[in-house]
Amino acid sequence: MGPELLEVLERRGLDFDLPVTATGVWRLAECFPGARQVVLEIGSGMGEATVQMARSQPTVGLVAVEVHLRGVAATIRAADRAGLTNLRIHRGDAVAALRDQVPAAGLAGIRIWFPDPWPKLRHHKRRLLRSDFVSLAVSRLAIGGTIHCATDVTDYAEVMIAV
Ligand SMILES: C[S@@+](CC[C@H](N)C(=O)[O-])C[C@H]1O[C@@H](n2cnc3c(N)ncnc32)[C@H](O)[C@@H]1O
């Protein structure tokens, strides 16, 4: 990671962190006091779409989860430049975050855009969208909540619809 990303991570990283309860659950209301809804984006990558979403929906609180530090840093840099206040960023595994840190029925939506496709048959078990994942995700949605997925891999799209 280059010095510019390291600098922004050090300077702004904590501002995009999520405060937690004593048991480690995110305090979403505290993060987004004026927000009408909170939406979770899984696998935000370098954050291009993330920052555009946060900018175009200022009344929505957006939590981005990404495992790779470089993507997290790039997202923080873009959010810093855009002056966003309705975005928080968590570095880590989204499955663990959904299980341990997202309050039950705490989300209006979950967005999973272009998840890693794992095209080889023997790697399909590594795909994020499986029925056990969907059950967990649904348990974190408020009534009427949505899971919005996108992929350009036909057979993965079919799996998404099925699960
Ligand atoms: C193919 S990229 C898509 C990135 C972005 N959504 C886009 O459309 O440009 C998939 C991203 O998901 C992240 N990812 C994969 N599994 C994850 C997990 N369990 N938790 C959080 N992020 C994950 C990867 O690190 C990668 O950045």
Side-chain angles (χ1 to χ4, degrees), residues 41 43-45 65-68 92-94 113-116 128:
E41 184 191 6
S44 47
V65 183
E66 170 56 53
V67 278
H68 283 304
D93 171 27
W113 291 353
F114 304 97
D116 292 325
L128 186 65

Side-chain angles (χ1 to χ4, degrees), residues 65-139:
V65 183
E66 170 56 53
V67 278
H68 283 304
L69 185 59
R70 193 163 162 269
V72 168
T75 307
I76 289 173
R77 178 177 59 186
D80 178 50
R81 287 178 179 160
L84 295 177
T85 57
N86 62 329
L87 174 65
R88 297 293 177 118
I89 303 166
H90 173 74
R91 183 191 176 204
D93 171 27
V95 178
L98 271 175
R99 188 188 59 223
D100 301 330
Q101 301 196 269
V102 177
L107 302 171
I110 297 174
R111 295 173 183 159
I112 309 165
W113 291 353
F114 304 97
D116 292 325
W118 295 110
K120 290 184 182 156
L121 190 60
R122 70 175 186 278
H123 292 154
H124 281 191
K125 56 183 178 292
R126 299 184 191 175
R127 286 177 168 176
L128 186 65
L129 271 289
R130 299 192 315 257
S131 53
D132 54 344
F133 168 80
V134 175
S135 300
L136 172 64
V138 166
S139 73

